[in-house]
Amino acid sequence: MAIDVYWGSGSAYSWRVLLALEYKRLPYRSHLLQFSKQEHKSPQILALNFRGRVPIIKDGDYVCFESLAILYYLDLKYPEPPIFGRTPEEAGVIMRVICEYQSYAEEPLMKIVRAFFFRQHAGRRDELAAAMHAVASEARSIEARLSKSDWIVGESFSAADIVIFPGIQVLLRALAKPEAEELSSRFLPLEVNYPAIAAWIARVERLPGYERTYPPHWRADAGGAHRAG
Amino acid sequence: MAIDVYWGSGSAYSWRVLLALEYKRLPYRSHLLQFSKQEHKSPQILALNFRGRVPIIKDGDYVCFESLAILYYLDLKYPEPPIFGRTPEEAGVIMRVICEYQSYAEEPLMKIVRAFFFRQHAGRRDELAAAMHAVASEARSIEARLSKSDWIVGESFSAADIVIFPGIQVLLRALAKPEAEELSSRFLPLEVNYPAIAAWIARVERLPGYERTYPPHWRADAGGAHRAG
């Protein structure tokens, strides 16, 4: 039976779940919600997650939300190929790198993303520069990992890649906006400043099924300003 | 072989790891670091975790840090008794509740804790009231869970209890300070406002080994102001 997935285009958290489903080659029914129509606050969605937040999956009668919890559930329920490693030691490193990303990179990264996706950057130059500084520092750690291996942890694509990849993609989209030019100059071009991350992005983009995970409205309107970026 | 644990007294994150080790009845060597002496920034610790943050465990040659990653590693390496449930469905709910705590409760809770532990509350009345409002809202969700079950998820003590319990304990300690009286009035007394959480705290406190996890400097000096609360 296919897994129902409720998600939003351009949501980094949603993107993680699609990447995991494609990597595990699990059949799923896609329910793309329109943030602009407040579909994530509909009674049907609130009945699944009272916070009205996506992603949400429904696997038979079982409902799960919060992207990391969904990845964890999927890996236990459908273990092959694993996304949390094959040994306790490998699993610990994968989870540790995810926790480090969440603790030290995600908040400043999402601050930058929201500022430019929602046109709230005016008058926040110092605050956004400080956020960029924190993100750049964490990106150097990831760059160092990727300069020694094809994937962020170990020799395989894992939940660490799945958690971090969409975050970097939304950051790059935010920094590509003309009004972000000043801020982006210390991060871009990625190929120059973070060549191993650039190569890793290309590697993820070549994974089977990747195209089906790409935010559809990014494709429809390259460069435009949107409710969800 | 015993697991080495590097931790700090009054660190909610450290407390989680001690609770897990005691619950799993794992032998461990305790290395209590003095934050006031900057022992968490010593070369020995920085060699284990370049961020100089605790908790850290060393299990043979294997090093892990970030508290959730340590819990996850310990559960895979030493599965009995489990702290992430016995089925993928249960594991998913445990992780989901942990993610919800981290996403919606932890930041405002720690803001209040730091403000009173480090005497930085002056002039921040509105900001701290807003944080308290957010924490109270999340506490109501936890209260609802605990009014239906002895533990936060399912019928057993789990990583959800382990992650959330130290946070609530440090919050209660912060709110017990005289200067927090105005803020605490809408949360305390716990027995009146959150009776199921109060009963759950007493339940955790009766777990075997709990006393060994209790922050030693809290016992040594009840009510005093400390560097780490």
Side-chain angles (χ1 to χ4, degrees), chain A residues 109-181:
Chain A
L109 186 152
M110 291 306 294
K111 181 184 282 189
I112 295 165
V113 167
R114 281 191 301 265
F116 291 103
F117 277 12
F118 302 141
R119 298 182 173 281
Q120 296 165 345
H121 56 282
R124 297 171 63 195
R125 187 176 161 169
D126 290 352
E127 180 194 355
L128 294 175
M132 192 75 239
H133 183 75
V135 168
S137 167
E138 295 302 318
R140 279 194 295 276
S141 288
I142 296 169
E143 175 74 15
R145 301 189 72 86
L146 288 170
S147 61
K148 287 179 284 189
S149 172
D150 277 0
W151 306 106
I152 290 181
V153 180
E155 299 306 314
S156 304
F157 184 68
S158 78
D161 302 288
I162 290 173
V163 165
I164 295 171
F165 176 85
I168 294 187
Q169 286 283 47
V170 296
L171 175 67
L172 292 174
R173 183 164 167 98
L175 294 179
K177 296 189 185 285
E179 52 272 32
E181 191 180 355

Side-chain angles (χ1 to χ4, degrees), chain A residues 57-70:
Chain A
I57 63 157
K58 193 164 180 293
D59 189 9
D61 288 336
Y62 182 72
V63 174
C64 194
F65 49 90
E66 294 289 319
S67 61
L68 180 60
I70 295 172

Side-chain angles (χ1 to χ4, degrees), chain A residues 51 53 62 64-66 68-69 72-73 76-77 84 88-89 91-93 95-96 99-100 103-104 138, chain B residues 50-51 53 62 64-66 68-69 72-73 76-77 84 88-89 91-93 95-96 99-100 103-104 138:
Chain A
R51 298 181 195 273
R53 286 176 174 263
Y62 182 72
C64 194
F65 49 90
E66 294 289 319
L68 180 60
Y72 182 48
Y73 164 77
L76 289 166
K77 187 84 177 184
F84 283 96
E89 289 77 10
V93 178
M95 190 63 85
R96 184 202 105 198
C99 290
E100 290 185 272
S103 298
Y104 312 113
E138 295 302 318
Chain B
F50 76 97
R51 298 182 195 272
R53 285 175 175 263
Y62 182 72
C64 194
F65 48 91
E66 293 288 320
L68 180 60
Y72 181 49
Y73 164 76
L76 288 166
K77 188 84 176 182
F84 283 96
E89 288 77 9
V93 178
M95 191 63 86
R96 184 202 104 198
C99 290
E100 289 185 273
S103 298
Y104 312 113
E138 295 303 318

